[in-house]
Amino acid sequence: MPGQASVIINSKEWMVAVASTPFEITTGLSGLPGMAAETGMLFDLGVDQGYVRIDMSRMQFALDIIFISSYAGVIGVLRNVAPGEEAAFEAVTTPGARYFLEVKAGEVKGIEFGDDVVIQGDIQPSFWQYVGAALLLLPVVIPMFNSMVKELERKQY
């Protein structure tokens, strides 16, 4: 079951469901006939992603989508994305998006790259965030482990 949070950007606030599991992220708002104003869904990808593709094939209404970095605020905005339309974000000069926020089309007027974002509520590290962090540390941990093993082998002889 998705968590709940509020997302504040500039003077706008949305009450959102938080999707953080693989099932929640892939299902999203698909199949819903619509949603109330000032509500939406915040997708927590766990770590900043350089490329995010959003499946709009089962959507029944248009969306505005805001891409949010874990530390740089708003890094991308797609406006009025229609059902069935291709929706994607690719980080070129930014760190990537950890979150993306889907709201009703027309609600992100005035929101731009670099705007600060405040997220309050059920945002917690998930299993997938720990997996992502562990994968990021592998290039550091493996050489350290290898050097420890070599040192132990050297001391035995």
Side-chain angles (χ1 to χ4, degrees):
M1 178 170 179
Q4 300 292 313
S6 72
V7 178
I8 303 166
I9 306 172
N10 298 335
S11 62
K12 299 181 187 253
E13 180 174 6
W14 294 272
M15 297 307 297
V16 299
V18 178
S20 59
T21 68
F23 176 77
E24 292 166 350
I25 290 170
T26 57
T27 304
L29 299 169
S30 296
L32 296 177
M35 66 179 160
E38 299 175 353
T39 66
M41 182 166 269
L42 180 68
F43 295 80
D44 184 352
L45 304 174
V47 295
D48 290 319
Q49 304 288 319
Y51 181 78
V52 178
R53 184 185 167 283
I54 300 168
D55 181 5
M56 295 289 290
S57 63
R58 297 182 325 183
M59 288 302 299
Q60 296 184 21
F61 56 96
L63 296 172
D64 285 346
I65 305 170
I66 303 167
F67 296 91
I68 304 165
S69 167
S70 60
Y71 59 90
V74 174
I75 57 171
V77 180
L78 297 177
R79 291 176 170 79
N80 200 30
V81 181
E85 188 177 333
E86 180 71 26
F89 167 80
E90 185 170 6
V92 177
T93 61
T94 61
R98 174 179 170 179
Y99 308 99
F100 63 94
L101 173 64
E102 294 182 346
V103 298
K104 285 178 71 168
E107 289 193 355
V108 301
K109 184 178 180 183
I111 294 175
E112 301 295 333
F113 179 92
D115 286 347
D116 289 331
V117 178
V118 176
I119 301 171
Q120 300 171 329
D122 289 339
I123 301 296
Q124 310 170 22
S126 68
F127 168 77
W128 298 106
Q129 290 168 272
Y130 290 118
V131 169
L135 290 174
L136 290 172
L137 290 174
L138 280 178
V140 174
V141 173
I142 290 174
M144 285 176 32
F145 179 75
N146 285 340
S147 74
M148 287 174 24
V149 167
K150 286 178 184 176
E151 182 64 23
L152 285 173
E153 288 173 346
R154 188 182 65 76
K155 287 184 178 181
Q156 287 180 348
Y157 294 106

